[in-house]
Amino acid sequence: MHVMKRLARSKQLIWAILLCLSVVLFPVLSQAVTVQEVPNPRQLYGGWVSDGASLLSDSTKAQLNAMISELEGQNGSEIAVVTVTETAPAPSPKAFTTELFNYWGIGKKDRDNGVLFLISKGDRRVEIETGDGLEAILPDAEVKRIIDTQIIPQFKQGNFEAGAIAGTTALVDVLKPESITPIQPPLNAPLPSSQPNETTSSDVPNLELEPAPSSPLPKYVDLLWIIALLLAVLSYYGTKRIVSRPAAIAATGSFRFQRTDPHDQSIYLLLGLGTFCAVFAGSFLILEFFVPLAETSIPLIAAFLGLVLGIPLSFFLAQKFFNPNKEGRALRSFQCETCAQPMKAVNSVSLSQILSKPEKVASKLKSVCYEGWQCPSCSPKLSRYGINFRAYVLNSITFHNCPKCQELTVTRTSDVLVHPTQHSTGVRLITDTCHCCSYIHERRTTIARLPSSSSSSSSSSNSSSSGSSGSDFGGGSSDGGGAGGSW
């Protein structure tokens, strides 16, 4: 019986402890707020003040909204005034403020001219977050001065409304259009005196100041097009000299290259330099005499045109004027490494008799170009007609290698079997077909689901509202600028 009484008392004690803990912890838990739970004043009533901690009266909210709306109408700056009971479960009031700023997107998207004035009653903390575009106008030191001189003294006395109005007024004064351009003198600067012995402008001797030295670039800028023109001429004659010298190659063999012959690399380099310099010089003269530009910007624009136009032009000139063998790809003639005799290009009729079936198909598809060179002295003694057989890959993107033919004779098609929806993925059929043999390979791939209409509509509504100030904030951002203070 005695044991039963002790158990009953223990249960009563446990329930009493739990009741006390619930009474103590419930207010703390009930005050916890996340960024998503803070009411957005722009969406609620088109205002700028969100009083979650019930610190401001209706007249104070109206006064703050009127000041901020007037500022936003003048230059687009946006200020949000927010009060919360506390910033838990955020790591700190500063982290909560930065997250809330970017969650709402305070300020215009293309200017980042927003300010968040946050008051946390439970943390006894003030945080003012500034957008990235206000660093020069409202630096962190100025924000700290406003907090320490206008807000904290009022909050220490319990005057939250007076502190909110004083802080917002100070922010508006800094962000007003007329207060951005002029530079105000410091408060302790001496006022101009009107003493009779004051030195006037007539008493100051008229000293002639030497003009500041100008940049040396305009003096010599005209030499650039002359140097470029000389380099273009030298590159042209250098290219002709290289082309006139045959390159030594093996009398026989099978070789495969990507588009250009490695023996032609020096030709392309010289032609690239020459065409760049020629376009640079021509553009320089046209810009200098016919386009009103600063002298320092003319060389930069001419160099850009030289890169954009000159490099592609060099490949065109190479194939147009420096290709002795019109049926092949080589820009230079060749001589035999064994006997140093000039090699002769194999004509297309003779070359077609040597090509295999896959090679003929690839040549017809223009995925690969083939040419042959033959030494008159050594070819009778060599196998496979004594030919230096050279293949140049022209298009390895559109055409793919056939595993049977071992040549670029495969084309790829894609067909949608099942179209994707917002709730299910689709199916695509990819088919590889060889134009030479019977090789066909099919495989199915998955197509991602379409984006939901809710996300697309929300993104479109956000983008449309970012440009207007009536329904939401403008889409600004912040990297954590601003300052804070405690009372």
Side-chain angles (χ1 to χ4, degrees):
M1 191 68 177
H2 182 68
V3 175
M4 296 297 293
K5 291 182 178 180
R6 293 186 61 183
L7 289 175
R9 291 178 181 177
S10 299
K11 289 182 180 180
Q12 293 176 357
L13 181 62
I14 293 173
W15 281 110
I17 294 174
L18 292 176
L19 180 62
C20 293
L21 289 175
S22 63
V23 172
V24 173
L25 294 178
F26 179 74
V28 177
L29 295 176
S30 62
Q31 293 177 357
V33 65
T34 62
V35 167
Q36 292 76 14
E37 295 172 344
V38 179
N40 188 330
R42 303 299 294 154
Q43 297 176 354
L44 288 179
Y45 65 98
W48 307 95
V49 181
S50 176
D51 187 21
S54 300
L55 299 178
L56 309 176
S57 63
D58 292 340
S59 60
T60 299
K61 296 177 188 176
Q63 183 178 353
L64 295 176
N65 283 321
M67 286 192 299
I68 300 172
S69 295
E70 182 181 359
L71 174 67
E72 196 270 342
Q74 291 175 349
N75 60 9
S77 299
E78 298 180 357
I79 301 177
V81 180
V82 178
T83 69
V84 295
T85 53
E86 62 180 7
T87 58
S92 64
K94 176 62 177 176
F96 181 90
T97 307
T98 303
E99 184 181 359
L100 180 62
F101 188 107
N102 292 311
Y103 179 72
W104 281 356
I106 304 173
K108 298 299 182 286
K109 184 176 182 180
D110 54 342
R111 296 167 59 187
D112 292 331
N113 55 347
V115 178
L116 173 57
F117 179 7
L118 185 132
I119 305 168
S120 178
K121 182 180 180 181
D123 298 313
R124 302 180 64 85
R125 183 76 180 175
V126 176
E127 293 289 346
I128 296 181
E129 186 87 6
T130 58
D132 300 338
L134 298 180
E135 293 180 358
I137 303 172
L138 191 60
D140 297 348
E142 178 65 15
V143 175
K144 184 63 175 175
R145 185 193 68 80
I146 293 174
I147 293 175
D148 294 340
T149 60
Q150 304 295 327
I151 303 174
I152 296 299
Q154 299 290 343
F155 283 9
K156 285 183 177 179
Q157 298 178 7
N159 299 328
F160 293 103
E161 293 186 319
I165 293 175
T168 305
T169 303
L171 292 172
V172 170
D173 290 340
V174 174
L175 298 178
K176 279 184 178 179
E178 60 269 15
S179 65
I180 294 176
T181 303
I183 300 176
Q184 301 293 337
L187 297 178
N188 57 355
L191 297 175
S193 60
S194 58
Q195 298 297 330
N197 58 351
E198 182 180 3
T199 303
T200 61
S201 59
S202 60
D203 299 330
V204 180
N206 187 13
L207 300 177
E208 294 184 359
L209 299 178
E210 296 182 359
S214 59
S215 175
L217 181 59
K219 291 184 179 179
Y220 308 103
V221 74
D222 286 336
L223 294 177
L224 295 177
W225 74 267
I226 299 176
I227 297 174
L229 189 60
L230 291 176
L231 288 176
V233 174
L234 293 176
S235 299
Y236 173 77
Y237 283 103
T239 302
K240 289 189 66 175
R241 186 174 181 181
I242 294 177
V243 171
S244 62
R245 294 201 308 256
I249 61 174
T252 185
S254 181
F255 305 93
R256 194 176 182 90
F257 309 108
Q258 289 293 331
R259 297 193 69 88
T260 59
D261 198 295
H263 296 88
D264 299 334
Q265 290 179 356
S266 56
I267 298 176
Y268 283 107
L269 289 176
L270 277 178
L271 275 179
L273 175 63
T275 52
F276 168 80
C277 293
V279 175
F280 175 87
S283 303
F284 192 100
L285 293 176
I286 294 174
L287 293 173
E288 187 176 20
F289 288 103
F290 298 102
V291 182
L293 291 173
E295 289 186 341
T296 54
S297 62
I298 290 177
L300 299 177
I301 299 176
F304 174 76
L305 294 175
L307 290 174
V308 173
L309 302 178
I311 304 303
L313 184 60
S314 65
F315 284 88
F316 172 78
L317 294 177
Q319 298 297 331
K320 187 72 175 177
F321 300 105
F322 296 100
N323 190 351
N325 178 25
K326 299 301 180 180
E327 297 178 352
R329 298 286 302 174
L331 301 182
R332 302 173 63 180
S333 59
F334 296 113
Q335 67 180 14
C336 181
E337 287 182 349
T338 305
C339 62
Q341 294 294 320
M343 302 278 283
K344 291 184 178 181
V346 180
N347 57 51
S348 58
V349 177
S350 301
L351 189 64
S352 63
Q353 298 176 357
I354 303 173
L355 296 177
S356 63
K357 182 181 178 181
E359 291 171 344
K360 291 180 181 179
V361 174
S363 178
K364 185 177 180 180
L365 295 173
K366 295 183 179 180
S367 62
V368 185
C369 178
Y370 303 94
E371 70 175 18
W373 293 85
Q374 194 172 36
C375 177
S377 300
C378 301
S379 60
K381 310 171 186 177
L382 300 173
S383 60
R384 199 183 180 184
Y385 306 100
I387 290 179
N388 187 301
F389 189 70
R390 310 174 83 79
Y392 300 93
V393 177
L394 303 181
N395 191 344
S396 58
I397 299 177
T398 306
F399 300 94
H400 305 273
N401 191 67
C402 177
K404 294 183 179 180
C405 301
Q406 294 299 318
E407 193 52 88
L408 298 177
T409 55
V410 173
T411 55
R412 180 168 295 170
T413 58
S414 177
D415 299 312
V416 178
L417 300 181
V418 179
H419 291 274
T421 64
Q422 297 176 359
H423 307 287
S424 61
T425 59
V427 179
R428 177 181 285 109
L429 176 64
I430 299 177
T431 306
D432 292 340
T433 305
C434 180
H435 293 263
C436 181
C437 65
S438 59
Y439 172 78
I440 297 178
H441 177 70
E442 295 180 348
R443 68 179 185 275
R444 297 170 184 250
T445 59
T446 302
I447 306 175
R449 291 186 299 177
L450 298 178
S452 61
S453 57
S454 59
S455 61
S456 60
S457 61
S458 62
S459 62
S460 62
S461 63
N462 290 336
S463 61
S464 61
S465 62
S466 62
S468 63
S469 60
S471 60
D472 206 344
F473 291 99
S477 62
S478 172
D479 289 335
S486 302
W487 72 87

